[in-house]
Amino acid sequence: MKTKIFYIICAAALGLSSCSDFLDEQVPQATLTQDEVKDPKYIDNVLISAYAGLVTIEDMNASFSLWNYDTRSDDAYVGGSDFSDGEPFHRLELGTGVMTTDWPFSSIWTRFYNYLSRVSLSLDVLRSADQDNAVIQQRTAEMKFLRAYGHFQLKRLFKKIPFVLKPNMEEDDYNNLSNTEFTNDEGWQQIINDLEDAYKVLPTVQAEKGRPTKAACAAFLAKVYLYKAYRQDNAATNEVTGINEADLQKVVEYTQPSIYTSAGYGLEPDLHNNFRPEEQYENGKESIWAIQYSRNDGTVYGNLNFSNRLIVPCIPKVHDSGNDFYKPSHNLVDAYRTNADGLPMLDDFAATDYTVGSNQTVDPRLFVTVGVPGTPYMFNTDFMMAETNTWSRGGGTYGYFVSLKQNVDPALTNSYLFDCDNQWASSMNRIVFRYADVLLMRAEALAQLGQTTEAISLVNQVRQRAAGMITSSVVSGYPNKYGVRYAVGRYNGTYSKDQTMRIVKMERRLELAMEAERFFDLVRWGDAATVLNKYFTDESRTMNFLQGASFTANKNEYLPIPYEQMAASNGNYTQNCGNW
């Protein structure tokens, strides 16, 4: 997994940053000696390969955004042409017939550990440098942040994972790693340890975009503590056995508004601003940490975001053979309906699906998140979506809704959107932590601690932005143009802890939909089996491919440890529960 030779990864190393950010400015080198890599002025030449791994090691079938695995939630269908197209993912969304030998599991596992091996090598180099040097201290903090990111994503996917933590690991060290060295709670703590070390050192502002800041580390700490708070202490199950108040208090600590507002972070006036590729929008005030992509950097295509290329739909006269994966569900679209007070209907879903032009009021975030027939694709009236097979690769099998957050206006072709070997890729950044998520994490922790009034006020902050989009946003003209009706209200009055949690959970769904958070939220809360089995029952009435789908508690919450990894582990790995 690792070599002691310090090669500079030339093509890959240029890949993290957009425009004139720091990775674009690096000059490819040949090799560095052991003494040279200890010098702070050369250290970035090694560390860039770790950063570059965030974009060069993943691919469209194993995206580090994990959108492929969010299709297990009630937000999205896998999509594609038919069931055989990406078949293991279709089995995964149905919850049946999943095998430990399915290739996506070993692919995402291997890619993350290849990424972690780069980070581990970088940390080894940093340990050999002058530990009193401020640059070395900051770069070490950055690498610990990146190591935490790899472990966090793996743990959300597989639960039982080996941690790459020891200095100067040799082949025997890797071969003898165990995936049960730590309990579930202790595993989260290993990630927290790296982040808390980093938090003490990282600066408030980084001159070079893509490097984590103190606020980014705080947001990450809040997220990990929130996962850790929902204890799964019984090794034989995936059940939530309790909710730890000390961990929730840590979430409150790391979501203190002053951490973020003092650094200039806040909500964008229009949600869509977070999902635009133009330079004036990227790394905006809501983007706390984002994976940076680039264009026109001297490589064949630029270091573009290839991980989302499967999400592009069929676009008549532009890309008639779009891959059309990650299709928003009817259940998600109906979740944006609002009642007479402009509030979500929570679990009261309609007997018939929402359609444009109906009398039903909706939250405007729907049209920023989901491409709905009767409205323009990517807000461009040259591409009006319709319930026709020209807009659906699967001929309507998976419906006609389209994910918008990952896609780019076709009018930006050859400037921010590129046809690469007949598949589309863009230079748009992928936000990992944004300020709205921080507000909702804080609201969740406070709700669980019984501080419901403050929790509701935080939810209302997010809803206030949504309400403002009715009159000032990329979709504010939709009522006049397409006959849609908007209504977004505030929560008023007193709510119990249980009511507040239902409100927070719904708001997370509406705000973060199609950002690959929903499935992991359901598992974290212990709601996955209940919510998804009801979803399968409701959706299968009209979506035939979901007939027979079933979520098995204490199994389907996590992926199985891949067969290839179990076989190569010298007996050191233990399979997840569920009789895999």
Side-chain angles (χ1 to χ4, degrees):
M1 293 179 71
K2 188 172 74 170
T3 175
K4 288 293 180 184
I5 302 173
F6 300 111
Y7 288 106
I8 302 307
I9 304 174
C10 300
L14 294 176
L16 182 65
S17 201
S18 297
C19 309
S20 61
D21 295 338
F22 77 106
L23 290 179
D24 292 334
E25 297 169 352
Q26 303 303 314
V27 178
Q29 306 290 319
T31 59
L32 296 176
T33 67
Q34 294 277 358
D35 289 335
E36 285 176 325
V37 297
K38 298 177 184 178
D39 190 325
K41 70 181 179 181
Y42 293 126
I43 203 74
D44 274 344
N45 290 328
V46 175
L47 305 191
I48 284 168
S49 70
Y51 274 106
L54 291 168
V55 300
T56 59
I57 291 178
E58 66 171 349
D59 75 357
M60 62 188 182
N61 292 304
S63 171
F64 284 5
S65 74
L66 306 187
W67 70 260
N68 319 63
Y69 297 94
D70 189 46
T71 56
R72 292 175 287 175
S73 78
D74 51 351
D75 273 7
Y77 317 129
V78 171
S81 61
D82 55 38
F83 184 79
S84 65
D85 193 9
E87 185 173 355
F89 287 109
H90 284 286
R91 290 200 296 266
L92 195 62
E93 78 173 325
L94 300 179
T96 58
V98 180
M99 298 178 287
T100 63
T101 53
D102 284 340
W103 60 263
F105 309 153
S106 190
S107 178
I108 193 71
W109 175 289
T110 301
R111 289 173 187 277
F112 266 119
Y113 278 106
N114 284 340
Y115 160 75
L116 282 170
S117 72
R118 293 192 187 192
V119 177
S120 181
L121 174 59
S122 298
L123 283 166
D124 288 343
V125 172
L126 286 162
R127 289 187 194 96
S128 68
D130 179 6
Q131 299 302 295
D132 292 327
N133 184 280
V135 173
I136 298 301
Q137 292 172 1
Q138 182 173 317
R139 297 299 182 255
T140 299
E142 292 173 19
M143 290 301 105
K144 287 189 174 183
F145 180 98
L146 295 189
R147 183 167 69 179
Y149 177 74
H151 284 139
F152 175 73
Q153 295 288 62
L154 282 162
K155 187 154 178 56
R156 291 205 295 179
L157 286 170
F158 294 99
K159 190 177 184 180
K160 294 179 181 176
I161 64 167
F163 284 81
V164 183
L165 299 172
K166 296 178 182 178
N168 302 305
M169 292 180 68
E170 303 290 349
E171 184 176 353
D172 285 347
D173 296 312
Y174 284 108
N175 290 339
N176 290 305
L177 285 174
S178 166
N179 71 334
T180 55
E181 178 182 2
F182 304 107
T183 65
N184 188 59
D185 181 55
E186 291 169 344
W188 292 122
Q189 189 61 49
Q190 304 314 304
I191 300 171
I192 288 168
N193 291 344
D194 267 347
L195 291 171
E196 289 188 332
D197 286 348
Y199 185 73
K200 298 171 186 175
V201 177
L202 288 172
T204 301
V205 177
Q206 291 271 24
E208 299 156 326
K209 301 299 184 184
R211 296 190 189 274
T213 62
K214 189 175 289 292
C217 199
F220 199 171
L221 275 163
K223 179 150 287 192
V224 183
Y225 268 116
L226 198 53
Y227 273 79
K228 183 173 179 284
Y230 293 85
R231 296 295 171 87
Q232 295 178 9
D233 292 331
N234 185 345
T237 75
N238 295 325
E239 295 173 359
V240 175
T241 56
I243 304 175
N244 186 273
E245 290 194 1
D247 289 336
L248 294 173
Q249 292 289 359
K250 283 291 188 179
V251 177
V252 174
E253 175 185 339
Y254 285 113
T255 56
Q256 288 288 346
S258 60
I259 296 173
Y260 305 93
T261 56
S262 63
Y265 296 110
L267 294 175
E268 291 277 2
D270 184 351
L271 175 63
H272 179 50
N273 290 356
N274 294 299
F275 308 99
R276 300 191 64 167
E278 300 96 326
E279 286 81 2
Q280 64 266 37
Y281 295 105
E282 288 202 319
N283 301 304
K285 68 177 183 178
E286 195 168 340
S287 175
I288 298 173
W289 187 61
I291 307 301
Q292 309 284 315
Y293 296 93
S294 64
R295 62 194 178 96
N296 302 327
D297 57 10
T299 59
V300 175
Y301 292 124
N303 286 281
L304 303 174
N305 183 348
F306 289 96
S307 64
N308 285 339
R309 64 195 310 182
L310 291 179
I311 301 175
V312 180
C314 298
I315 309 170
K317 300 181 180 180
V318 175
H319 191 33
D320 297 333
S321 59
N323 289 293
D324 206 26
F325 284 88
Y326 202 30
K327 303 280 285 180
S329 71
H330 290 79
N331 186 282
L332 174 63
V333 170
D334 285 343
Y336 284 96
R337 296 178 306 116
T338 55
N339 62 21
D341 296 320
L343 298 175
M345 296 184 181
L346 298 180
D347 295 329
D348 179 23
F349 291 110
T352 57
D353 293 326
Y354 171 77
T355 57
V356 168
S358 74
N359 290 328
Q360 176 65 62
T361 58
V362 293
D363 187 316
R365 286 176 291 184
L366 166 61
F367 297 106
V368 169
T369 305
V370 180
V372 182
T375 63
Y377 173 68
M378 294 311 303
F379 323 104
N380 187 331
T381 55
D382 289 337
F383 307 100
M384 295 300 296
M385 291 176 287
E387 289 191 359
T388 63
N389 289 350
T390 58
W391 275 98
S392 173
R393 185 180 177 209
T397 300
Y398 309 107
Y400 297 96
F401 299 129
V402 173
S403 180
L404 297 183
K405 287 181 175 178
Q406 299 83 3
N407 287 313
V408 172
D409 182 354
L412 299 178
T413 298
N414 297 325
S415 55
Y416 298 98
L417 180 66
F418 302 87
D419 185 353
C420 307
D421 296 330
N422 201 37
Q423 288 184 319
W424 293 92
S426 78
S427 61
M428 182 171 65
N429 288 354
R430 175 173 64 81
I431 298 177
V432 179
F433 302 114
R434 63 182 178 93
Y435 188 63
D437 192 7
V438 170
L439 292 176
L440 293 173
M441 288 191 291
R442 183 175 181 82
E444 182 176 338
L446 291 169
Q448 291 286 19
L449 291 167
Q451 299 177 47
T452 58
T453 300
E454 186 175 351
I456 291 295
S457 72
L458 292 164
V459 170
N460 281 334
Q461 281 190 48
V462 178
R463 293 188 64 75
Q464 183 177 357
R465 190 255 297 276
M469 290 169 61
I470 294 174
T471 56
S472 180
S473 73
V474 70
V475 296
S476 59
Y478 280 27
N480 289 332
K481 293 179 181 179
Y482 311 114
V484 305
R485 301 180 65 195
Y486 290 146
V488 178
R490 294 173 56 86
Y491 289 99
N492 297 304
T494 302
Y495 299 90
S496 69
K497 176 179 174 179
D498 288 345
Q499 290 172 323
T500 304
M501 276 304 300
R502 289 186 71 207
I503 289 168
V504 170
K505 289 176 180 180
M506 176 58 87
E507 201 63 31
R508 280 192 66 82
R509 185 182 193 191
L510 299 176
E511 178 66 23
L512 302 173
M514 306 304 289
E515 296 179 48
E517 290 292 314
R518 175 66 172 172
F519 179 78
F520 302 108
D521 280 348
L522 291 173
V523 171
R524 175 165 58 83
W525 296 324
D527 292 346
T530 301
V531 169
L532 293 179
N533 282 321
K534 183 180 184 303
Y535 160 72
F536 291 144
T537 298
D538 294 342
E539 289 275 295
S540 63
R541 294 168 185 160
T542 54
M543 306 305 290
N544 292 333
F545 74 94
L546 287 176
Q547 291 180 2
S550 177
F551 187 95
T552 302
N554 299 316
K555 179 176 183 176
N556 292 140
E557 292 89 351
Y558 296 96
L559 302 178
I561 310 303
Y563 171 81
E564 293 91 334
Q565 304 303 325
M566 292 289 293
S569 72
N570 297 323
N572 291 318
Y573 290 178
T574 300
Q575 186 57 269
N576 282 321
C577 65
N579 296 317
W580 293 102

